[in-house]
Amino acid sequence: MDKPILIIDEEAGIRESLSGILEDEGFPTLTAPTAEEGLELLETENVGLALLDIWLGDGMDGLTALTRIKDRLDIPVIMISGHGSIETAVQAIQEGAYDFIEKPLSYEKVILSVANGLRYARLEQENRLLRERSVKKAKLTGESEIIASLRQQIEMVAPTDAWVLITGEHGTGQELVAQAIHRLSTSAAQPMIEVNCAAIPEELIESELFGHVKGSFTGAHSNKRGKFDLANGGILFLDEISDMSLKTQAKILRILQEQKFERVGGSRTIKVNVRVLAATNKNLEEEIEKGSFRADLYYRLNVVPIHVPRLAERTEDIPELVAELMLRVKEKGLVPKNLTSEALQEMKNHHWPGNVRELRNFVERLAIMCPEQTVEADTIRRFLDHPAGPARSSLRTPFSTHDFKEARRLFEREYLQQKLEENQGNITRTAEMVGLERLSLIHISEPTRPTT
């Protein structure tokens, strides 16, 4: 479904003419006689482009409205005017307008400008997605039989419109599966809208999913489009779907079945065309038996089930995973380590209850806290037995030296190792807890030398 084009012009005849010619060309339209009404529509509708008259009579003028639009949204705005001048056109372009058209309007020029503007917006969106993907560099790493089967399932379902339920334990990579499906889907040119159902408070999740109208509840100071609206024509990823309340599940089910909804506090029905990917780390059939998940919602979501295996089921992928994770460590400014084959075998023998997420944290911990460049098997065993690194009993203590600077350095090391233990070796969480940058923790991996 194409995004509508918003026409803001005080002349009813111009609005009707432009709307008619654009809809004849297959472009849906919305119209507003004032800048204020146009801005309200932009808050509630997923507009693809705006046609905006510079001279709007009483109230806000077009150039002011242009600035407001560009501050809020990244959409092309084509200015139109019956009193055009070079200075006005230059000012409009400098303020962010995509094009400038003078009245009386040439409808061929309007159609060409609109088509070019929409094409430009699509290219900009594709470029943003490419940049985001290059930063994430997310992929399913490994050549094990179970991962090869998972890739095959993704390649089969991705080009279709089928809904997918992704299951698996915490840290196995459910989000990576969703991203892979999106990347290979027909909606790859549009962003995948993601919702972490577990992270949104119960009282706000309806507003987050469906949007709300101004004044519908305390704190609703303006209209807001919801995730379903933003995902129109593309993919909506509902992560941790099992953490929704039964009340929200019921509303979700109705929307999924009918593909239409009303915003919180609103009465207008909004129709959408959304493909849904959902993920959970729980056994939904067991949740249904306990009465905490709706059976009808489960069967609606579970069109194509995809299960992400535990790391313990594909330990042969660990060497390749470690190699990739060491590259990420290098990108963070840390020094990657070399692991012997015996060290890698020790890692294969570990159960990894936290799956790939635990492995990622472990590799980063090695890079920070292991002083040796080549990591041996006994080092791996020691780090697995002591999550924060080598036993502190083998190190000098702050009270074993008479030098104040060395004592302070030893205390910092002791303190940070303790905090790492409290956070199960999670570097990012520890840095946030103690108020330091992540790289500031790197010094605790260096051997302590006496001060002379």
Side-chain angles (χ1 to χ4, degrees):
M1 186 183 298
D2 291 330
K3 296 179 181 180
I5 294 167
L6 175 61
I7 303 165
I8 305 175
D9 195 298
E10 66 175 345
E11 298 182 48
I14 295 292
R15 295 196 303 274
E16 293 172 4
S17 297
L18 283 173
S19 181
I21 192 69
L22 289 170
E23 291 187 353
D24 285 345
E25 295 293 326
F27 301 112
T29 62
L30 298 166
T31 63
T34 66
E36 289 80 3
E37 291 182 43
L39 290 172
E40 288 183 6
L41 282 172
L42 285 169
E43 289 181 342
T44 58
E45 303 294 336
N46 195 9
V47 171
L49 179 146
L51 286 162
L52 174 61
D53 191 9
I54 286 183
W55 306 103
L56 291 171
D58 297 333
M60 189 187 304
D61 64 84
L63 288 175
T64 302
L66 170 63
T67 302
R68 297 273 186 90
I69 292 172
K70 300 306 290 185
D71 285 343
R72 300 181 188 185
L73 299 170
D74 187 17
I75 62 171
V77 180
I78 299 171
M79 306 300 293
I80 53 181
S81 175
H83 310 278
S85 67
I86 293 177
E87 291 79 9
T88 305
V90 168
Q91 183 181 357
I93 298 299
Q94 288 176 338
E95 294 291 337
Y98 173 75
D99 202 354
F100 185 93
I101 304 175
E102 291 186 79
K103 295 178 182 178
L105 298 174
S106 163
Y107 292 121
E108 291 79 8
K109 167 67 174 173
V110 170
I111 295 299
L112 179 62
S113 183
V114 166
N116 287 339
L118 292 173
R119 189 178 304 112
Y120 169 79
R122 281 194 295 270
L123 289 172
E124 283 290 295
Q125 185 177 73
E126 289 172 6
N127 287 336
R128 281 196 300 274
L129 285 172
L130 287 172
R131 287 195 295 271
E132 290 172 3
R133 289 169 187 166
S134 67
V135 172
K136 289 183 178 179
K137 297 180 181 177
K139 64 175 183 177
L140 291 166
T141 301
E143 299 302 327
S144 61
E145 184 177 340
I146 198 167
I147 282 295
S149 174
L150 178 59
R151 287 201 193 96
Q152 185 178 34
Q153 293 176 64
I154 290 170
E155 289 168 2
M156 291 173 65
V157 74
T160 73
D161 292 328
W163 293 10
V164 181
L165 179 61
I166 306 167
T167 59
E169 292 182 0
H170 275 304
T172 51
Q174 296 163 320
E175 185 180 359
L176 296 185
V177 172
Q179 290 170 0
I181 293 172
H182 173 244
R183 196 160 48 241
L184 298 174
S185 73
T186 57
S187 304
Q190 301 182 55
M192 179 173 71
I193 305 301
E194 301 181 24
V195 181
N196 186 336
C197 302
I200 304 172
E202 169 62 25
E203 63 272 14
L204 295 179
I205 195 164
E206 288 187 39
S207 169
E208 189 72 19
L209 292 173
F210 316 134
H212 61 252
V213 299
K214 182 178 179 180
S216 56
F217 56 86
T218 303
H221 301 301
S222 61
N223 296 330
K224 176 186 175 181
R225 300 208 315 270
K227 299 296 187 182
F228 270 94
D229 202 354
L230 294 172
N232 188 21
I235 292 177
L236 178 68
F237 176 45
L238 298 174
D239 198 8
E240 304 295 355
I241 186 75
S242 57
D243 288 331
M244 282 185 176
S245 69
L246 289 171
K247 176 184 175 184
T248 305
Q249 289 176 34
K251 293 194 174 185
I252 285 282
L253 177 64
R254 183 175 66 84
I255 291 169
L256 296 183
Q257 290 174 333
E258 301 175 2
Q259 292 278 289
K260 59 184 180 181
F261 61 94
E262 296 84 36
R263 293 193 176 92
V264 176
S267 57
R268 187 170 64 87
T269 299
I270 299 168
K271 295 182 179 181
V272 292
N273 178 22
V274 174
R275 181 185 184 185
V276 175
L277 310 179
T280 179
N281 61 81
K282 297 180 181 178
N283 185 320
L284 292 186
E285 292 180 348
E286 292 180 358
E287 296 299 309
I288 291 170
E289 290 181 6
K290 291 190 295 185
S292 59
F293 200 83
R294 293 179 62 104
D296 45 7
L297 177 57
Y298 169 71
Y299 293 121
R300 182 67 186 90
L301 292 171
N302 195 31
V303 177
V304 177
I306 290 184
H307 182 72
V308 189
R310 296 179 294 114
L311 182 56
E313 298 177 67
R314 56 183 190 106
T315 54
E316 61 266 47
D317 291 331
I318 284 180
E320 188 176 346
L321 284 164
V322 169
E324 181 188 317
L325 292 168
M326 281 298 179
L327 289 177
R328 296 191 192 180
V329 161
K330 186 176 181 180
E331 291 171 358
K332 295 178 179 180
L334 302 173
V335 179
K337 306 294 182 181
N338 300 315
L339 277 71
T340 65
S341 57
E342 292 80 9
L344 288 170
Q345 186 58 49
E346 283 293 330
M347 296 179 73
K348 286 184 179 181
N349 294 337
H350 186 60
H351 182 59
W352 301 109
N355 296 296
V356 178
R357 184 179 301 158
E358 181 186 359
L359 178 65
R360 182 186 64 216
N361 290 340
F362 183 79
V363 167
E364 189 169 339
R365 190 156 63 246
L366 275 179
I368 291 175
M369 300 186 67
C370 179
E372 300 87 9
Q373 180 58 39
T374 299
V375 181
E376 303 285 351
D378 62 338
T379 302
I380 295 297
R381 285 192 292 270
R382 190 166 66 248
F383 270 70
L384 289 173
D385 289 340
H386 303 279
R392 294 195 302 275
S393 60
S394 64
L395 303 175
R396 303 185 70 189
T397 70
F399 301 101
S400 66
T401 178
H402 297 294
D403 185 276
F404 176 77
K405 290 183 179 178
E406 184 185 2
R408 181 169 60 186
R409 183 168 59 252
L410 290 168
F411 173 80
E412 287 181 1
R413 181 187 182 97
E414 184 87 356
Y415 172 81
L416 292 173
Q417 286 178 332
Q418 175 63 36
K419 293 305 175 186
L420 277 167
E421 286 183 353
E422 292 175 11
N423 288 295
Q424 290 77 49
N426 188 301
I427 304 296
T428 300
R429 195 183 306 142
T430 303
E432 292 174 351
M433 172 188 284
V434 301
L436 292 175
E437 296 294 328
R438 295 173 76 257
L439 291 180
S440 298
L441 299 180
I442 195 170
H443 73 282
I444 65 174
S445 68
E446 300 171 352
T448 304
R449 298 178 177 86
T451 303
T452 58

